Amino acid sequence: MSDLRALLLDAIDPASDAFDKRSRRHVSRFCDWLAQSPVKSVNRHLFLAYGAARGTRAVLSDLERALDNWLTDQDGVRQELRAAVLDHRRRVDGMEMVVDMVRAPWWAPFIAHCDLDRLSILEFKRLDAWLSWMHERGKADPSEEDFLEFCRGAGSEVPLVSLQAAIAKLRLPEIPALMLALPAAIAKKRAMTKGPKTPSPRTSWSRCHSIAAEDLPSDWRATLCVLRSHDEMSSTKTLSSQSIDSQERRLRELAKSCDTSDLPVSLTTATFINHIWAMRARGCSATTCEINAGFLVRFAGYHGVDQSELDEMKAIHRQLKREAKGNVPRKFQRLATVGSVENVLGKASELLEQARMQKSLKLRVSYLNGACALALFALVPLRVNDSNLQWGKNVTYDGEYYRLYVRTGKRGNVFRGPVAKFVTPFLDALLLRGCDRVYLDEFRNAAELEQRHLFAPADGGHLSDRCVANLWARHIGCKPHIARTLVHTELGRMGVEGVAQALALCAQRDPATAKFYQDMAMTDALLLKSNELLLQGFSDTEVEAIFGRSDSQTL
């Protein structure tokens, strides 16, 4: 396009039908001006010079309209002409032109690497004000406080939101100042400028199926206290705190059933049967009734209930066990909906992709927490009480693998080992929070040194003890206990060895669990073989194709 005049003269030749009469006149005037002016390169400065020579406001827009159907943009001429049209209008209207504004020293790093034509004039002015403010104070790496100071006089977060939108159009590198500090400043400014918020009164919900712990009979509370202290019970098997808490909850439900039925609050065969009927009346499954009855029978033994009463309770409990054997546990109904581990990891990948598109730091971190919770705990099925992990304490990096070290709360066993490679991108993204990968080592070292929580919220607010369970419920529709069933089912198809691995991962106590899952897996395998169907989930070939070859010792 350097010989623009020659091309235009050929196009406006009377024998050519490239232009109509009006367009030919505008192009002819431009060619006459080119004949009198040396042309070094075709850019916006050339068109602006022509506009200044003609003087009228519409001269460049008329030329743009005339060349619209003829001019190609292979050399960026159309873009240069469009920028000149807008700048010429601002000059005629007495406003500062963009070509003059970008001569400021703070624009130097952007001119060669960014397409400034992406910005509207309002966005350009907003960014210019920010860069000049930074230049005056000699700041190169702005912090959250710098952004707040810049918009201190504003009555809302709008200036910072506009600045964020302008920066996004320039596609600048994903540095912490833009990916972390700016979104955090927007959230803080929004909270600062909101009107006074009256806290809503805390609602106290009435108990429907249980009473308060302090309302239990004094002799029951005394027995629970002895069980918790482990004193005077040397001949009794030591119980975990979780088991004692479960017994207390069932006692509170039993007491509520007695109150509802106008029976004395006591642990007898009559109140025991009454409570089972009450559970069935509200839709509890046979399995739930059997589990609750088991806790009550165990407590009755510790509490010193009359032996004849205890024998009758045990007989009823055995009958409930026989009924429960024919029921399909609800977790397997949920498992049919969730599908295989592959489905859970697919959902985790979707959340990771959605996180990359979030401008809000709070939403971005929320999606990243969800993605990592699904990916990590899909194959490392820790219990909820063991899932609040910390960098440097429970999760470390050895230069090749992330490694887990967790002492499980149920048995006190140590769960350790490298995490599979395909979980690495999720853990990396959790550290980066949208920043460029060049900051990964720095962020990882800082997180391990400070032992930050893996799933901490963006604003550093309260971290729920059940955050992983809540994330699974939000994105999968069930709590992470389903991951334990997934591990049992996937590895159970491998027979005894697979179930042994599943038991090690899930830290189960009951040997009957191993036989149950092994029998179920073998039945599934025979059915699939007879119907010549493929097993659902990951095959070795699929794993290698998607994630590459992994160490056999990897979790």
Side-chain angles (χ1 to χ4, degrees), residues 244-484:
I244 299 172
D245 291 341
S246 296
Q247 291 181 31
E248 183 184 43
R249 282 194 297 272
R250 272 60 180 198
L251 289 171
R252 288 160 54 191
E253 293 173 1
L254 173 67
K256 182 66 174 181
S257 299
C258 293
D259 288 343
T260 304
S261 303
D262 295 327
L263 294 174
V265 179
S266 59
L267 187 52
T268 64
T269 305
T271 58
F272 186 75
I273 295 174
N274 176 74
H275 181 53
I276 292 172
W277 282 111
M279 286 191 291
R280 286 180 169 175
R282 65 173 189 255
C284 294
S285 66
T287 303
T288 301
C289 293
E290 183 271 323
I291 292 172
N292 290 355
F295 280 112
L296 292 174
V297 168
R298 281 194 286 276
F299 178 80
Y302 299 133
H303 189 55
V305 173
D306 183 74
Q307 188 61 42
S308 61
E309 296 268 3
L310 183 59
D311 291 341
E312 290 183 16
M313 292 182 195
K314 288 182 177 179
I316 296 170
H317 182 225
R318 287 193 294 271
Q319 176 62 30
L320 290 173
K321 272 189 174 181
R322 286 191 290 270
E323 293 180 17
K325 281 185 178 180
N327 286 2
V328 177
R330 290 179 179 175
K331 65 180 179 180
F332 290 112
Q333 299 174 15
R334 177 64 66 181
L335 179 61
T337 304
V338 173
S340 64
V341 174
E342 183 180 6
N343 293 343
V344 178
L345 294 178
K347 181 62 177 179
S349 299
E350 291 177 14
L351 293 174
L352 185 62
E353 186 61 31
Q354 291 176 13
R356 296 191 179 104
M357 300 183 290
Q358 302 303 317
K359 294 182 180 179
S360 167
L361 180 61
K362 184 177 181 179
L363 289 176
R364 190 188 313 146
V365 171
S366 176
Y367 279 111
L368 288 174
N369 284 345
C372 192
L374 297 186
L376 180 59
F377 293 102
L379 289 179
V380 185
L382 297 173
R383 284 182 168 81
V384 174
N385 292 339
D386 302 323
S387 61
N388 269 4
L389 307 178
Q390 293 176 260
W391 294 105
K393 181 180 179 182
N394 307 115
V395 182
T396 55
Y397 187 69
D398 63 5
E400 183 178 4
Y401 288 98
Y402 283 101
R403 305 186 72 88
L404 277 182
Y405 179 92
V406 180
R407 186 174 293 277
T408 59
K410 183 172 182 179
R411 301 183 63 182
N413 292 342
V414 174
F415 186 99
R416 72 174 79 195
V419 182
K421 276 282 190 179
F422 60 80
V423 183
T424 298
F426 296 92
L427 293 169
D428 288 348
L430 200 60
L431 285 166
L432 291 170
R433 294 189 171 191
C435 295
D436 194 274
R437 288 190 61 84
V438 297
Y439 299 97
L440 180 58
D441 291 339
E442 176 187 344
F443 287 2
R444 186 192 291 124
N445 293 336
E448 291 183 356
L449 182 64
E450 299 173 16
Q451 293 192 350
R452 299 173 190 164
H453 286 278
L454 254 72
F455 305 106
D459 58 0
H462 173 69
L463 179 67
S464 170
D465 292 336
R466 302 182 62 83
C467 63
V468 171
N470 296 335
L471 290 168
W472 269 71
R474 183 187 309 164
H475 298 296
I476 297 296
C478 63
K479 299 298 177 68
H481 69 277
I482 201 68
R484 308 173 65 76

Side-chain angles (χ1 to χ4, degrees), residues 108 124 129 152 220 235 249 352 375 378 435 443 476 517 534:
F124 190 92
R152 182 174 56 176
W220 291 3
S235 62
R249 282 194 297 272
L352 185 62
C435 295
F443 287 2
I476 297 296
Y517 281 106
L534 294 173

Side-chain angles (χ1 to χ4, degrees), residues 23-49:
S23 299
R24 197 185 304 274
R25 184 169 65 249
H26 291 305
V27 175
S28 179
R29 289 173 182 170
F30 180 57
C31 290
D32 293 342
W33 180 83
L34 285 175
Q36 302 171 5
S37 306
V39 180
K40 295 181 180 179
S41 62
V42 180
N43 53 33
R44 66 193 65 189
H45 297 283
L46 173 69
F47 293 116
L48 284 170

